[in-house]
Amino acid sequence: MKEVLVVYYSQTGQLRTIIDSVLSPLDQESVNITYHQIIPDEPYEFPWKKERFFDVFPESFLQIPTEINTPEASVLSKKYDLVILGHQVWYLTPSIPLNSFLKSEAAKTILNNTPVVTVIGVRNMWAMSQEKVKKMLIGLNAKLVGNIALVDNNINHISVITIVHWMLKGKKDRMWGIFPKPGVADNTIASANKFGNPIKEALITSDFSSLQEKLNDLDASKISNLLVQMDKRGNLLFSKWANLIKKKGNQGDPARKKWLRLFNYYLIFAIWLIAPLVFIVFLLTYIPMYNKIQRENKYYASVDYKE
């Protein structure tokens, strides 16, 4: 009997649904699946209140952990053949609950010398967040063997509008009856069961050496180099904002609130003005940068990590 542990955090339940779809082909007679849901001591309520949504930005981007629940003793005492790590992206960075788990003593115990498959549910940009997860997994002596990223397939600006509607209103419906539903599409989630078969094969044979290649053949981690460039640029600018706001105080401090409002205005400016400029530059440099782009795409779709 193979032992699989699923570690995840999900506000809306979408990520858990994705994971369940991915794992549905695993035969329960030969695979035992245990779930550990990460629960912060101070909950992140859904739907978000706008002030709270922005207030988590500095701690999220700077990867400052918060207090979370400890896995049960039965989980900590067992050696797993595979860990599925559910990955949400907050502000181009692993969510605070996931980051907190990966920086915990429990993670050191559970993930040491253990194969890991990350499963990401995200609006669109995930590459730089995954790089941060890769780095933490290396520090935990874990073995990243696969990654699956499911995204909102609508164009960037449409998905911005719909995700804000979902996050702040709590409604995964067609905004005004015009816009598409936010988040990862239902049919995309349902079809994620195709990834379960190569995972099952690798698990049963204890050979994960070609798993990511097989997952990529099924479009598990499609890379848009345009989004990667936006992700990189966003990380550089977010770093300046996060450090500046953090210096203004802790959550609730008046000075911090003022700078968070300015950050809100900056985000609007960046999404609607800077992002189109990045797109234009990307188009102008695509041909001379083609070989580099292809190398980058191959790297970000892999489980490799380089500083």
Side-chain angles (χ1 to χ4, degrees):
M1 176 73 73
K2 294 291 185 177
E3 295 288 345
V4 174
L5 175 66
V6 176
V7 179
Y8 75 101
Y9 170 79
S10 180
Q11 278 184 303
T12 65
Q14 176 181 259
L15 185 56
R16 172 62 189 263
T17 304
I18 290 171
I19 292 170
D20 287 345
S21 180
V22 169
L23 297 182
S24 59
L26 272 64
D27 188 351
Q28 294 183 358
E29 293 182 0
S30 57
V31 180
N32 181 50
I33 303 176
T34 303
Y35 288 83
H36 170 64
Q37 181 178 4
I38 304 168
I39 303 175
D41 287 3
E42 183 179 351
Y44 297 95
E45 295 181 0
F46 182 82
W48 289 90
K49 290 182 171 58
K50 185 176 180 180
E51 184 176 297
R52 174 68 163 156
F53 180 81
F54 285 102
D55 204 23
V56 302
F57 161 65
E59 286 74 20
S60 178
F61 186 81
L62 297 174
Q63 294 182 265
I64 298 172
T66 190
E67 294 297 320
I68 58 173
N69 60 324
T70 301
E72 295 180 1
S74 59
V75 171
L76 293 171
S77 63
K78 186 178 292 185
K79 183 62 180 175
Y80 290 93
D81 299 291
L82 176 66
V83 171
I84 305 295
L85 193 63
H87 178 170
Q88 281 187 322
V89 179
W90 291 6
Y91 293 105
L92 311 181
T93 304
S95 71
I96 292 176
L98 178 62
N99 176 66
S100 301
F101 171 77
L102 290 174
K103 293 188 175 183
S104 69
E105 291 300 314
K108 293 180 182 178
T109 300
I110 293 170
L111 298 180
N112 181 46
N113 197 31
T114 302
V116 175
V117 171
T118 46
V119 178
I120 306 173
V122 66
R123 185 176 71 87
N124 55 19
M125 285 183 279
W126 56 266
M128 295 301 105
S129 182
Q130 179 69 354
E131 289 300 289
K132 296 169 189 179
V133 169
K134 288 179 182 179
K135 184 175 183 179
M136 286 189 281
L137 289 175
I138 289 173
L140 292 165
N141 194 36
K143 300 176 181 178
L144 181 64
V145 296
N147 177 54
I148 299 164
L150 299 190
V151 303
D152 184 334
N153 289 317
N154 292 296
I155 63 174
N156 187 46
H157 288 86
I158 293 296
S159 67
V160 167
I161 294 170
T162 58
I163 201 70
V164 169
H165 170 69
W166 187 21
M167 292 298 101
L168 300 185
K169 300 296 184 181
K171 298 178 180 179
K172 195 177 182 181
D173 59 4
R174 294 172 59 89
M175 181 179 174
W176 303 335
I178 300 173
F179 288 92
K181 289 184 178 181
V184 181
D186 292 342
N187 61 344
T188 301
I189 295 174
S191 66
N193 61 359
K194 64 186 176 182
F195 304 122
N197 291 315
I199 292 174
K200 178 182 177 181
E201 178 185 353
L203 178 63
I204 297 302
T205 61
S206 299
D207 182 3
F208 296 93
S209 59
S210 61
L211 176 58
Q212 187 62 56
E213 182 180 347
K214 292 176 180 178
L215 291 173
N216 284 344
D217 287 342
L218 299 171
D219 293 330
S221 52
K222 294 176 67 175
I223 294 293
S224 163
N225 199 265
L226 169 61
L227 292 177
V228 169
Q229 300 311 314
M230 292 171 60
D231 201 344
K232 289 180 176 179
R233 182 64 177 170
N235 267 267
L236 289 173
L237 295 171
F238 277 17
S239 177
K240 298 181 186 301
W241 276 102
N243 281 289
L244 174 63
I245 295 170
K246 186 61 179 173
K247 289 177 182 177
K248 298 301 178 180
N250 295 317
Q251 295 180 354
D253 289 350
R256 173 174 164 130
K257 288 182 178 180
K258 181 184 74 173
W259 282 95
L260 283 170
R261 284 195 293 271
L262 292 174
F263 174 68
N264 183 6
Y265 297 140
Y266 159 75
L267 271 186
I268 296 171
F269 174 77
I271 290 168
W272 296 98
L273 292 177
I274 296 179
L277 292 177
V278 173
F279 176 63
I280 292 171
V281 172
F282 175 79
L283 290 179
L284 293 175
T285 60
Y286 182 79
I287 293 177
M289 297 291 288
Y290 178 80
N291 289 333
K292 181 181 179 182
I293 287 171
Q294 295 307 306
R295 288 195 300 271
E296 283 194 347
N297 288 356
K298 184 177 180 180
Y299 166 72
Y300 289 120
S302 75
V303 292
D304 299 329
Y305 176 74
K306 58 185 179 182
E307 291 283 358

